[in-house]
Amino acid sequence: RGRPSSKSTDQQDAKIDVANVEALSLETGRRIVTRHAGIYLFLPLLTQLRFDNLITSADYPGSAMVPAANAMLSLLTLKLLDKERLSHIDDFNCDEALGMFAGLNILPKKSFATDYSYRTTREHQTQLLKLWVKSLSPILFPDANSFSLDFHAIGHRGEETELENHFQPMRGKAGPSVLSLFAMEQKSKVFCYSNATLTRAEQSGEVLRFIEFWFDLMGQRPQWLYFDSKLTSYNELSQINQMKDVSFVTIRRRGSSILQRISKVPEDQRNGAVINIPKRKYQNIR
């Protein structure tokens, strides 16, 4: 019963410190204390949708120690906990409950998470997006027919980059950023489409790509689209207008003649309004 050697202790610590699906303990009666138990409320939905099968069908990469489904669950954990950066994953490496949520003994380290994100491609994301939305729609938005679309510029804060400059509303100016587009189903408020591989030359055609995506997925085009006029060009608007089964609502562009007419409206004829968006720079307008 001698004291274990430092070598054997180091080996045991190594087993604990490395994420491994085979090292997960499911012993009856085992108790784990955690501050993040609420994350398990998401498990019934993942089980109902057979999330592991979706990942397998999307052909995501994996290994014997961290299979594809477990790797994706570990990344999903960060999103559910509202951690915006992969570098913050180390905050949770000692929480075995979060590791169990991902089907692992512990969550992988940030080096794994970063490496794994580079191993995935747009094809993986698109295939999973289709499978996820197709499985989720009967549950959350069975009668989806109207969508809001908008661009979002994800700002770059690092060293010099070749990223294009896009307007960033929070900063009030353009800067190096990744341009992404999101489509949200109106009634359920579920984001059912995204693309973060856009360039300035491609952005005007993204509305048509979403229409095509939805038609391929559901066999019918979306009935209503709501978006800012700068989301696309007049040429694309004309193409959408020719689709008899698609209607859209957009904001008329503020040309010089419109601005001149607005400037002539007396102050006493202007009404106040509040745009109730917490992060919006100007909420009170006239």
Side-chain angles (χ1 to χ4, degrees):
R1 278 205 171 188
R3 184 177 180 180
S5 65
S6 58
K7 182 178 180 180
S8 62
T9 303
D10 291 342
Q11 290 176 343
Q12 292 175 0
D13 291 341
K15 292 180 180 179
I16 296 175
D17 292 340
V18 177
N20 188 349
V21 66
E22 295 181 355
L24 173 62
S25 173
L26 297 176
E27 181 182 357
T28 302
R30 182 185 178 209
R31 298 182 63 188
I32 300 176
V33 178
T34 180
R35 298 175 59 186
H36 308 289
I39 195 173
Y40 281 84
L41 296 175
F42 200 63
L43 274 181
L45 178 61
L46 293 177
T47 303
Q48 185 177 359
L49 299 181
R50 291 308 304 268
F51 184 75
D52 54 335
N53 289 347
L54 301 184
I55 298 299
T56 301
S57 299
D59 199 27
Y60 274 84
S63 65
M65 293 179 62
V66 185
N70 304 85
M72 290 296 291
L73 282 171
S74 67
L75 296 178
L76 178 61
T77 299
L78 297 181
K79 295 299 181 183
L80 294 177
L81 295 175
D82 199 24
K83 279 292 182 181
E84 297 180 355
R85 299 180 183 273
L86 288 177
S87 58
H88 295 168
I89 196 172
D90 288 346
D91 298 346
F92 305 126
N93 281 145
C94 295
D95 194 325
E96 293 181 85
L98 297 182
M100 181 177 288
F101 176 83
L104 301 166
N105 53 332
I106 59 171
L107 290 178
K109 297 183 182 297
K110 65 181 180 183
S111 56
F112 172 89
T114 302
D115 176 70
Y116 190 81
S117 65
Y118 281 106
R119 293 169 61 193
T120 62
T121 65
R122 173 62 181 167
E123 287 71 26
H124 291 127
Q125 319 296 0
T126 303
Q127 184 63 16
L128 177 59
L129 183 63
K130 290 180 178 179
L131 294 169
W132 174 261
V133 173
K134 187 73 172 180
S135 302
L136 192 64
S137 60
I139 303 173
L140 295 184
F141 44 95
D143 302 318
N145 57 19
S146 59
F147 303 85
S148 297
L149 292 83
D150 200 5
F151 285 125
H152 175 65
I154 306 171
H156 175 73
R157 300 289 189 272
E159 301 176 355
E160 291 187 10
T161 176
E162 296 183 357
L163 291 174
E164 295 178 329
N165 288 340
H166 299 284
F167 183 75
Q168 301 175 43
M170 291 294 293
R171 301 181 65 185
K173 61 180 181 180
S177 53
V178 174
L179 186 65
S180 60
L181 180 131
F182 294 91
M184 182 185 72
E185 199 279 324
Q186 283 279 14
K187 295 179 182 179
S188 64
K189 306 300 181 184
V190 172
F191 288 95
C192 53
Y193 178 81
S194 63
N195 187 3
T197 63
L198 298 172
T199 63
R200 189 180 298 278
E202 299 171 334
Q203 67 182 65
S204 63
E206 192 61 14
V207 179
L208 293 173
R209 281 189 284 271
F210 167 69
I211 294 175
E212 181 182 356
F213 168 86
W214 196 256
F215 182 81
D216 291 343
L217 196 65
M218 299 299 183
Q220 60 183 13
R221 296 189 180 103
Q223 296 179 22
W224 283 95
L225 299 176
Y226 304 90
F227 50 84
D228 187 274
S229 61
K230 293 184 178 181
L231 198 74
T232 188
S233 65
Y234 282 116
N235 181 40
E236 274 73 20
L237 283 178
S238 177
Q239 293 183 52
I240 299 173
N241 200 40
Q242 294 174 21
M243 300 177 183
K244 302 302 182 181
D245 52 348
V246 179
S247 301
F248 64 88
V249 175
T250 187
I251 302 171
R252 186 176 180 183
R253 295 189 180 183
R254 295 174 295 178
S256 58
S257 60
I258 293 179
L259 293 176
Q260 290 174 5
R261 291 200 302 271
I262 292 176
S263 65
K264 296 178 181 179
V265 177
E267 285 293 326
D268 58 358
Q269 294 184 20
R270 296 176 181 264
N271 297 321
V274 178
I275 303 177
N276 189 19
I277 300 176
K279 294 184 178 181
R280 186 178 176 88
K281 189 174 182 180
Y282 300 106
Q283 291 186 322
N284 298 299
I285 63 172
R286 293 180 65 81

